[in-house]
Amino acid sequence: MNEYVGIDIGGTKIEAVLVDERNTVLNTCRIPARPGAQNVLDDVIGITRRLGGEPVAVGVGLPGQVDSVTGVVRDIVNLDIVKLELGREASKALGIPVQVENDVNAAALGAVALIDDQVSAGDTVVFLNFGTGLAAGVVRDGHVERGYSGSYGEIGHIPVDPNKFLCNCGQRGCLETVTSGGSVAKLWPGQPPLPDLIEKAKAGEPRAMEVYGIVQHGLADTIQVVGQAYDPKLIVLGGGMAKTGRPLLDMIVEEMRRREETSHFITSLHLPERLRLAPVEQPIGAIGAALAAPRD
């Protein structure tokens, strides 16, 4: 039975898995991420060898501009990478094919695999990554949707939030400015931010209630954008904020139910019923990267 390696590269850590053809995890490894193109290349090679086994292919998920055809990655600010021909160089060193994929797309594949019992052939599933930023990975009939320019799923930069906070992209009012983990930490610098915000808001603290309302409204807007633009069977909530668990889900559903009270159209979409929490206790990104590895 063939074995595959999946590697999830973040700004602070690299997580890798060795899986078989049934996506059963045979081994795992985690190391700190090191900035610099050569370091990232060396770490991809090193962690693959450390996992052991006899992998026939490798998949790597990472942020930045990723060309999944050429294996070239660009502009990964947190890792100090301007350009790296990761696919070609890692494949040459390891002697096996290496597929490079956007990290959110990889996580989307991993999430679908881990909730496989709820997904049928032909279904569309959207994975929402509430991390430092906000982005969506769209999986249709088991395959990642990419679009024309590589910006498919960049819903975090849709400028619809009425607060009009300045976004790093240069626009104002982007969804990312009120719904990402990074933005919530700025709006409510608690420890950890979202659980603390929810607790304080439920206790009636005025400023917490104000921020809670801002974030809740943005989260519901995000779900509506996804529901109406992609019409997926499931919307899976992932990323760092998803570790909040059920309170995050409740926060969104509460606002969606409010909107349903005044709109038959919103009620007819049944969006709350489509929401799922990603199994964040599992290495979703690395498993998804393994699924992205070339398979005969």
Side-chain angles (χ1 to χ4, degrees):
M1 184 178 289
N2 287 336
E3 297 174 344
Y4 303 87
V5 167
I7 302 172
D8 181 28
I9 300 177
T12 59
K13 69 176 179 4
I14 299 175
E15 192 166 33
V17 296
L18 177 71
V19 304
D20 62 19
E21 290 175 349
R22 299 191 186 100
N23 301 318
T24 302
V25 176
L26 306 174
N27 197 8
T28 64
C29 185
R30 177 185 290 191
I31 60 174
R34 300 184 297 158
Q38 188 61 50
N39 285 335
V40 170
L41 175 60
D42 290 345
D43 288 341
V44 166
I45 296 165
I47 203 168
T48 299
R49 290 172 174 162
R50 187 182 298 187
L51 284 168
E54 297 182 359
V56 298
V58 177
V60 183
L62 70 173
Q65 296 180 15
V66 179
D67 189 324
S68 60
V69 176
T70 65
V72 175
V73 297
R74 292 182 171 86
D75 300 322
I76 307 178
V77 177
N78 290 337
L79 291 173
D80 195 25
I81 293 176
V82 177
K83 178 182 177 182
L84 172 61
E85 295 188 9
L86 181 58
R88 181 174 67 85
E89 293 299 324
S91 179
K92 184 168 64 174
L94 293 167
I96 53 178
V98 175
Q99 176 70 33
V100 182
E101 183 58 81
N102 171 269
D103 61 340
V104 177
N105 286 344
L109 286 171
V112 170
L114 292 170
I115 58 171
D116 186 61
D117 61 324
Q118 303 173 53
V119 182
S120 304
D123 285 344
T124 297
V125 177
V126 173
F127 174 82
L128 282 173
N129 187 60
F130 293 105
T132 302
L134 168 65
V138 183
V139 176
R140 194 185 312 275
D141 195 22
H143 300 283
V144 170
E145 294 282 314
R146 304 187 191 281
Y148 169 70
S149 68
S151 62
Y152 197 78
E154 290 290 350
I155 64 168
H157 297 296
I158 298 176
V160 296
D161 185 71
N163 296 283
K164 299 297 180 184
F165 297 133
L166 180 64
C167 182
N168 290 333
C169 77
Q171 300 184 99
R172 287 187 176 274
C174 289
L175 283 171
E176 184 172 295
T177 63
V178 292
T179 61
S180 66
S183 66
V184 173
K186 288 181 181 178
L187 291 167
W188 189 261
Q191 292 297 330
L194 187 58
D196 185 64
L197 171 64
I198 293 171
E199 180 183 348
K200 297 294 196 315
K202 295 302 181 184
E205 186 173 316
R207 174 56 182 164
M209 293 173 67
E210 179 186 352
V211 174
Y212 180 95
I214 290 171
V215 175
Q216 184 181 47
H217 188 275
L219 288 169
D221 281 351
T222 301
I223 299 305
Q224 269 196 245
V225 166
V226 167
Q228 293 171 229
Y230 303 114
D231 194 23
K233 179 179 181 180
L234 298 177
I235 302 171
V236 183
L237 313 180
M241 280 174 58
K243 294 178 180 177
T244 303
R246 185 74 205 187
L248 171 64
L249 205 58
D250 292 342
M251 188 178 185
I252 296 170
V253 171
E254 180 183 58
E255 174 62 21
M256 295 311 306
R257 295 300 186 205
R258 251 195 306 266
R259 297 182 184 195
E260 289 176 349
E261 291 175 1
T262 56
S263 171
H264 174 71
F265 170 69
I266 298 301
T267 303
S268 71
L269 297 177
H270 301 289
L271 292 173
E273 289 74 27
R274 305 195 210 183
L275 299 178
R276 299 290 186 277
L277 285 168
V280 291
E281 72 283 355
Q282 299 199 51
I284 295 173
I287 290 173
L291 285 164
R295 303 194 179 202
D296 294 331

